[in-house]
Every structure is written in C-alpha cells, then in structure tokens.
Amino acid sequence: MSEKSSVNGSDTLTEAGGQKQFSDRYETHDYYLMDELLSQEHLLIRSTVRDWVKKNVTPIIEDYAQRAEFPSHLVKEMGDLGVFGPTVPVEYGGQALDYISYGIMMQEIERGDSGIRSTASVQGSLVMYPINAYGSEEQKKKFLPKLASGEWLGCFGLTEANHGSDPSGMQSNFKDMGDHYLLNGSKMWISNSPFSQVAVVWAKNEEGVIYGLLVERGMEGFTTPEIHHKWSLRASSTGELVFDNVKIPKENLLPGVKGLKGPLSCLNNARYGIAWGAIGVALDCYDTALRYAKERIQFDKPIASFQLQQKKLAEMITEITKAQLLTWRLGVLKNEGRATPGQISMAKRNNIEIAQRAAHDARQILGGMGITGEYSIMRHMMNLESVVTYEGTHDVHLLITGMDITGINAFK
C-alpha cells in the first residue's frame, strides 16, 4: 500500500489494490449551538452514524462513484446500524425513534453521499412507511423485519417515463382476475430497483382508482432493467420497473389507502429526510472549503485571509445555520403530527438550494483541485442535480408553497 497526502490539506489518499481510498477529516459545525436543542439520544445517534460513515462510506465512495457502481455490501451494514425505517414500531423490526432522530441519520449519511442516503430514504420512507401505515398485519410481519434488517432491499414505483410531476396521469394499471390481479405498465427512474426484493407500486384499477401493490422479485413478467450512463448519483443503483401481465396475489394489495393520498404521504416523509440530508452535503462542502482555505497558501498567506474567500465562507455558514433552524423546527412539528406538506416542501426546496450554492462556492475556493475526485465537492454537485429534481422538482415545490399561501392552484 502506498500513501500520500494531497496538495494543501485534502483528505489523505491511499491506494490499495488499484483502488483509491480517502480518510475523512470532517469536523462538525454548529454556529448557533443547535446541539443544545438535541437530546442525549439524538447526539448518540448522530455520533454512531457519523462514525459509520467515516469508517465505511467516505473511504470508498469516490471509487464506487467513478466506476458508477452501487456498493451493495453497505445495505446489510445499514440494516445493522438501524437506519432503515427507524420510526417503525419495534415489533416490526424498527426502533420507534422520533423524526428528529431519522433526520439526523439522513443528514450524516448524505454528508457521505446522496446516493447512499437515497438507498436509506427509499427503504424507510417510501417502502417501509406505506407498508406500516397502510398494510395489513400479515404484510407488516412478512416484509418489514426483512427490510429493517437489510436482508431485503425495497423500491418505490410511482414515476413513469411520461408522468413525473403529474403522477395522476399514470398509465400503469391492474385488472381483477378473480383470484389475483393482473398488472401491466412500467415505472422509470426508480432508486434501488435492480437490487430490490420488493417494490411498492402505485397503479390504477379498472375504475381509474390508484392503489398500492407489493410486487415481489421472481414474479413472472416482472423485470428491473438498470439505467446506465448517469452523471449523477453514480454510486446509487437506478432502474426501471416493467410489468408484463404480472400476477399479483390479492393479499399483496395495500388495503389501507386509495388515491394519490397514499404515494403523496410517502413522498412527504421522504422529502422531510431529504431536507435534513441536504444540510449534510452543505456541511461537508463548507468543512472542506474552510480547511482548504486555511491551508492553501497564495501570495505568502492562506487564501482564507482574502476578503472574497471570507465572504463565500461566511455566506455558506449563514445559509447552513438558517437551514438547520428551519429543519429542526420542522422536526419538532413532525414529531407533534403538525408538519404540513407545504412546510416540508419549503424545507426540501430551500435546503437543496443552499447545498447547491455551498457546493458551487466551495468548488471555487478549491480552484482546480475542486474538480478532482480527491475531494467530495464535484461528486456532491453532480448528485444534487438529481436531488433537486426527484420527489418534487424545485419549481414544483415553489408552486406548492405558492398554492399554500394564496389558496390558488397554479398547476391547472
């Protein structure tokens, strides 16, 4: 094994077996003493997940992203860590934690990589949540423990090639055949699909009413082709769900919800986690830029001494602090059952926007080094191009807020 430290204080780079690995020098930043608002349990959860990310994600993630490969071995580790469906009741494999705990987990994981957070977010908010909220007792006992442990990976089928922001126009459909349902159609841009054992799929019945179906790996006519050539979320597995006369047992229909309420409630939970996760990206970019600016010498002094660099850093930590306060308050409301979809949309849109700005400014502070894989910034920038779009685009979330404050629907 050879080891070298990159120019001007980047994370230590080691090369072993032809693979590059990076140590993780991240230090937390808490300008408004937000930790005082967290419980000891919250701090312990954060420390535990952060240590796991430093040991198991950041040392390998650049190499996996360069190769556009999903580090599937992390799935079982995340199950052991307890980040899959942590708010689910203990009897179904969860930990019955509060939503601030869940948010903290997503923040720490996304600081490592948005694609890895996507895996956890989809598993918990988009697969386990609807089964727990709308499933039968038999469905909960069959699926939730395996999903919580990481033995099974799940995915969420809502978006279609021609129906993204307007899921009500979906064409996937199922017919009642007496002793089973017959499912046809396809879903697009589905995180986890090539590796999933179960998919929560939303489709219309013969009356045009939307229901959730649990589609299992191995069902005849069900395939999950992988999507390649992505420049974003390269360490995440993305694919399609294709249904060609798939026979679905009637006991695999989620009985507790119908209409768009089902999938939209799932998306609200996922968007909440994304709002926390985006802060992790912003913090990682800020931490990298601050350290680099202190160590990079130009004109006989560190570039952190120059006004324009201080301006970038000061604005970054200001926006991060505002996002932390916004999201903590949202977590309190979520725990109380009072968080509205509009509030969640605001946090998701705002926090991704400030993360994008932080990544852009950090890239400028690092100069040419900012585009290399020796730092996380360019990977974060590319990943955010997916995060800003999925589970509600930036523009859609603006219109959700607009409708909330005016009472006027601008979508139609």
Side-chain angles (χ1 to χ4, degrees):
M1 175 184 292
S2 65
E3 181 173 307
K4 69 182 181 72
S5 292
S6 299
V7 178
N8 296 302
S10 77
D11 292 347
T12 301
L13 166 66
T14 64
E15 296 182 6
Q19 293 187 350
K20 294 181 178 180
Q21 294 189 332
F22 299 82
S23 64
D24 189 338
R25 300 171 62 194
Y26 174 77
E27 297 178 8
T28 189
H29 302 278
D30 184 14
Y31 199 76
Y32 259 45
L33 308 181
M34 295 287 292
D35 281 4
E36 295 179 6
L37 300 174
L38 303 177
S39 69
Q40 288 302 309
E41 183 180 37
H42 292 148
L43 296 175
L44 177 61
I45 288 169
R46 187 180 67 185
S47 176
T48 301
V49 179
R50 180 176 296 167
D51 288 347
W52 178 80
V53 169
K54 284 193 170 192
K55 179 181 178 182
N56 297 291
V57 178
T58 45
I60 66 167
I61 199 64
E62 294 292 345
D63 185 61
Y64 274 91
Q66 289 282 355
R67 292 186 284 119
E69 182 179 336
F70 175 54
S72 57
H73 68 278
L74 294 180
V75 173
K76 187 63 173 67
E77 293 183 20
M78 286 191 280
D80 293 340
L81 191 64
V83 300
F84 290 150
T87 61
V88 167
V90 174
E91 58 263 37
Y92 302 124
Q95 302 178 69
L97 297 175
D98 71 350
Y99 277 97
I100 290 180
S101 298
Y102 172 67
I104 288 169
M105 290 175 174
M106 297 304 103
Q107 176 177 297
E108 292 302 316
I109 294 173
E110 189 145 9
R111 187 192 69 78
D113 186 73
S114 297
I116 305 305
R117 195 271 308 145
S118 292
T119 297
S121 184
V122 168
Q123 186 91 329
S125 291
L126 300 183
V127 181
M128 296 178 68
Y129 169 78
I131 295 173
N132 183 58
Y134 307 125
S136 66
E137 187 66 21
E138 292 73 23
Q139 289 169 346
K140 294 177 186 180
K141 289 179 178 178
K142 176 179 178 179
F143 293 102
L144 290 179
K146 291 181 179 180
L147 291 165
S149 69
E151 179 184 349
W152 278 17
L153 192 62
C155 64
F156 177 85
L158 179 64
T159 297
E160 297 182 359
N162 295 320
H163 301 282
S165 296
D166 180 18
S168 63
M170 70 173 66
Q171 294 175 299
S172 294
N173 64 90
F174 65 97
K175 296 180 180 180
D176 190 333
M177 306 303 290
D179 61 345
H180 66 274
Y181 299 118
L182 200 62
L183 175 64
N184 282 282
S186 63
K187 301 292 181 177
M188 190 74 167
W189 304 116
I190 309 302
S191 295
N192 298 354
S193 76
F195 290 86
S196 292
Q197 282 74 43
V198 60
V200 176
V201 176
W202 302 92
K204 292 179 178 178
N205 68 7
E206 292 164 279
E207 287 74 43
V209 180
I210 296 171
Y211 282 91
L213 299 166
L214 301 175
V215 185
E216 299 177 59
R217 175 76 63 187
M219 289 182 172
E220 187 176 353
F222 175 42
T223 55
T224 57
E226 188 167 5
I227 295 172
H228 298 285
H229 309 301
K230 299 181 299 177
W231 286 112
S232 183
L233 296 183
R234 288 173 60 82
S236 176
S237 178
T238 310
E240 301 176 56
L241 301 175
V242 180
F243 319 108
D244 182 9
N245 289 324
V246 182
K247 292 182 179 180
I248 308 294
K250 287 201 166 181
E251 59 267 26
N252 279 32
L253 182 139
L254 293 176
V257 72
K258 64 180 179 179
L260 277 176
K261 175 187 175 181
L264 292 183
S265 67
C266 301
L267 290 174
N268 277 329
N269 270 328
R271 291 164 178 170
Y272 168 80
I274 292 170
W276 281 88
I279 296 174
V281 171
L283 282 167
D284 196 61
C285 292
Y286 171 76
D287 179 77
T288 301
L290 178 63
R291 185 184 310 113
Y292 187 92
K294 289 179 177 180
E295 298 177 356
R296 171 69 167 171
I297 305 299
Q298 290 289 282
F299 306 104
D300 301 319
K301 56 184 178 180
I303 64 172
S305 65
F306 297 113
Q307 292 180 1
L308 288 178
Q309 307 312 316
Q310 289 192 9
K311 176 181 183 293
K312 293 184 183 72
L313 292 165
E315 289 177 342
M316 288 164 68
I317 193 60
T318 299
E319 293 303 316
I320 288 169
T321 300
K322 288 156 63 176
Q324 288 173 323
L325 288 164
L326 176 72
T327 311
W328 172 80
R329 177 57 181 163
L330 181 64
V332 172
L333 293 172
K334 185 83 167 145
N335 283 339
E336 296 173 351
R338 297 195 292 145
T340 68
Q343 291 167 339
I344 294 170
S345 282
M346 178 182 285
K348 193 261 188 184
R349 175 186 55 80
N350 176 80
N351 293 5
I352 294 170
E353 186 173 49
I354 70 103
Q356 288 183 304
R357 195 177 308 136
H360 178 267
D361 287 347
R363 214 293 300 158
Q364 289 200 343
I365 290 172
L366 267 69
M369 292 303 294
I371 71 167
T372 71
E374 295 187 26
Y375 296 89
S376 61
I377 294 170
M378 186 58 74
R379 175 170 50 82
H380 284 318
M381 288 180 72
M382 293 191 297
N383 284 342
L384 287 169
E385 289 301 310
S386 290
V387 181
V388 75
T389 297
Y390 68 25
E391 297 179 37
T393 67
H394 178 90
D395 290 350
V396 163
H397 286 298
L398 274 173
L399 293 181
I400 289 173
T401 302
M403 181 171 62
D404 207 29
I405 61 178
T406 67
I408 301 171
N409 185 346
F411 293 102
K412 297 181 179 180

